[in-house]
Amino acid sequence: MKDGEGKNCPIFFSLEIFGDKWSLLILRDILHFDKKHYNEFLESEEAISTNILADRLKKLESEGIISKKRDPDNKKQFIYSPTNKCLDLVPIILEIVVWGAKYDPDTKAPAEEMAKIRENRKEYIQNIRSKFKYVDQ
Amino acid sequence: MKDGEGKNCPIFFSLEIFGDKWSLLILRDILHFDKKHYNEFLESEEAISTNILADRLKKLESEGIISKKRDPDNKKQFIYSPTNKCLDLVPIILEIVVWGAKYDPDTKAPAEEMAKIRENRKEYIQNIRSKFKYVDQ
DNA sequence: TGTTTTGCTTGCATAATGCAAGTAAAAAAA
DNA sequence: TTTTTTTACTTGCATTATGCAAGCAAAACA
């Protein structure tokens, strides 16, 4: 796509930043599975390659979606944590979960939890936000 | 990724079906811009290639997200229209719009319309659904 | 029975991804 | 202080996906 084109649509703007499978799976790991460390992302069952992981973490950080700093509890590791810009992605991921749970015939997502999400949407989003109370930016 | 892995997560299930930029832009064109015809998709400002468009339409049809039939008003053309499975994607696209409009510094999305979407979410979703009252499946 | 329109397919160059192996910096251990 | 280990990458290369231009075939129309 040429520069200057397709720049007016908020959907396109969003998709340029996180509209690929691996970015969204990393964000799922951070927001829903509370993963923080490089090797935790590598351990996900979808088996992201280490070069792709490094690339996506760099991009997400440069877009201000995640922040990176040394882990004070284990100085050899880094902690990747969500910014507010990232927490605002929770509703998107939530809706993707709901759709997938509805249409995946082999879903392992418990139906009652899905119902809870749909009925108490705001509360569910707030619960995830509160897990990351002290957030950068 | 190997077969049999990563099959338990509803997010992953969803992303395998529509988790790429072009699929989501086609769905935007159908659901928000009321596009129906092959050449209308080609005219979008993001300028999808004709081979990619053909590939994605075929995939979306095979997943039961869209249906294809001859246009009775212009028998040379086909109409691509959303199924119920597609209409259930509206909340996802809506949240992507909201995020993009919030964080795109050059957004053309009017702030008051965005506020309306956030305040009257259910109604907004219902309005889009009602545009496609007679839907296949 | 041509001609147009429409919806593709094909070929090829370029870019992204996947996999395995290697490396470098910092911390921990000796 | 030197060595070892841990961690987070980088590199090289094969495979796959994308982008672009051109071509083609079926249906409808004239």
Side-chain angles (χ1 to χ4, degrees), chain A residues 1 5-16, chain B residues 18 20-37 39-48 53 56-57 60 65-66 80-82 86-98 100 104 108-109 114 124 128 131-132:
Chain A
M1 192 179 309
E5 288 175 349
K7 291 266 161 74
N8 301 331
C9 173
I11 297 179
F12 181 72
F13 176 84
S14 298
L15 295 179
E16 286 286 278
Chain B
F18 60 80
D20 74 285
K21 197 155 60 184
W22 292 123
S23 295
L24 283 163
L25 288 173
I26 291 168
L27 294 170
R28 170 204 66 181
D29 282 351
I30 291 176
L31 294 167
H32 285 261
F33 297 150
D34 301 337
K35 296 189 179 181
K36 299 168 181 59
H37 300 118
N39 48 43
E40 289 180 292
F41 300 126
L42 286 179
E43 284 160 10
S44 292
E45 61 178 357
E46 291 89 4
I48 189 171
L53 176 59
R56 294 305 192 278
L57 288 173
L60 289 171
I65 309 277
I66 58 176
Y80 295 92
S81 50
C86 186
L87 292 175
D88 283 336
L89 293 169
V90 170
I92 297 172
I93 296 176
L94 181 151
E95 296 299 342
I96 296 175
V97 171
V98 167
D104 181 358
K108 298 285 192 310
M114 289 301 120
Y124 188 87
I128 292 180
K131 285 197 302 187
F132 303 99

Side-chain angles (χ1 to χ4, degrees), chain A:
Chain A
M1 192 179 309
K2 280 146 198 155
D3 272 7
E5 288 175 349
K7 291 266 161 74
N8 301 331
C9 173
I11 297 179
F12 181 72
F13 176 84
S14 298
L15 295 179
E16 286 286 278
I17 293 174
F18 60 80
D20 74 285
K21 198 155 58 184
W22 292 122
S23 296
L24 283 163
L25 288 173
I26 292 168
L27 295 169
R28 172 204 65 178
D29 283 352
I30 293 176
L31 294 167
H32 286 261
F33 297 150
D34 301 337
K35 296 190 180 181
K36 300 169 179 57
H37 301 119
Y38 194 88
N39 48 42
E40 289 180 294
F41 300 125
L42 285 180
E43 284 159 10
S44 293
E45 60 177 356
E46 292 90 4
I48 188 170
S49 300
T50 177
N51 55 342
I52 306 289
L53 176 59
D55 177 76
R56 295 303 191 280
L57 288 173
K58 201 186 291 177
K59 280 183 183 166
L60 290 171
E61 194 192 359
S62 78
E63 292 288 352
I65 308 277
I66 58 177
S67 77
K68 175 185 178 182
K69 42 186 190 247
R70 281 214 178 270
D71 185 344
D73 298 331
N74 177 355
K75 288 192 162 189
K76 284 184 181 172
Q77 297 191 106
F78 292 96
I79 285 185
Y80 296 92
S81 50
T83 63
N84 273 315
K85 204 171 175 179
C86 187
L87 292 175
D88 282 335
L89 293 170
V90 169
I92 297 172
I93 296 175
L94 181 151
E95 296 298 344
I96 295 175
V97 171
V98 167
W99 191 93
K102 177 168 181 180
Y103 287 106
D104 182 358
D106 305 318
T107 187
K108 298 288 192 309
E112 72 243 31
E113 205 193 318
M114 289 301 119
K116 209 187 290 178
I117 291 179
R118 266 179 272 112
E119 284 156 27
N120 305 337
R121 229 182 87 90
K122 276 194 177 177
E123 194 188 326
Y124 188 87
I125 292 171
Q126 192 47 49
N127 280 346
I128 292 179
R129 293 194 84 96
S130 63
K131 287 197 302 188
F132 304 98
K133 203 170 177 182
Y134 303 107
V135 111
D136 303 308
Q137 291 173 37

